[in-house]
Amino acid sequence: MYADLATAQGCRWYAMERSLRYAIRTLWDKQSEYCSKLLYRSCELMPKPGIAEFLYLYAEAYHDGVIQEWVNEIMTKAG
């Protein structure tokens, strides 16, 4: 997976892995409540997942419509 993503972005696989780890860590550090609710469907603060688990949780939440519901809620509040 890293190789395919890296090729598409014009970088090496280890740069892609590092970028994904950094993005997930930054997201989790800044929005852990939302991440726990969206991905784990939990009101408790959950620990930051690794890359594979994050991608799985995100894909599952996206498939179930949870991500879209969250986006729609934000858009409604923004007016």
Side-chain angles (χ1 to χ4, degrees), residues 12-78:
R12 299 197 185 267
W13 71 267
Y14 50 83
M16 182 56 62
E17 179 189 22
R18 183 181 59 229
S19 294
L20 285 169
R21 277 190 280 114
Y22 176 78
I24 292 167
R25 183 178 63 239
T26 301
L27 174 65
W28 216 267
D29 288 348
K30 292 182 179 185
Q31 300 291 332
S32 56
E33 277 187 51
Y34 284 119
C35 292
S36 294
K37 287 178 186 176
L38 288 172
L39 302 180
Y40 287 104
R41 297 179 180 108
S42 174
C43 292
E44 293 181 40
L45 291 181
M46 302 301 288
K48 176 184 66 66
I51 296 171
E53 185 179 9
F54 178 87
L55 293 174
Y56 174 80
L57 290 168
Y58 184 88
E60 194 174 69
Y62 182 83
H63 179 266
D64 292 345
V66 175
I67 303 295
Q68 189 62 52
E69 287 175 17
W70 179 69
V71 170
N72 292 344
E73 182 181 324
I74 290 172
M75 298 302 287
T76 300
K77 288 179 182 178

Side-chain angles (χ1 to χ4, degrees), residues 1-13 16:
M1 174 184 78
Y2 297 131
D4 292 338
L5 290 171
T7 299
Q9 295 300 312
C11 63
R12 299 197 185 267
W13 71 267
M16 182 56 62

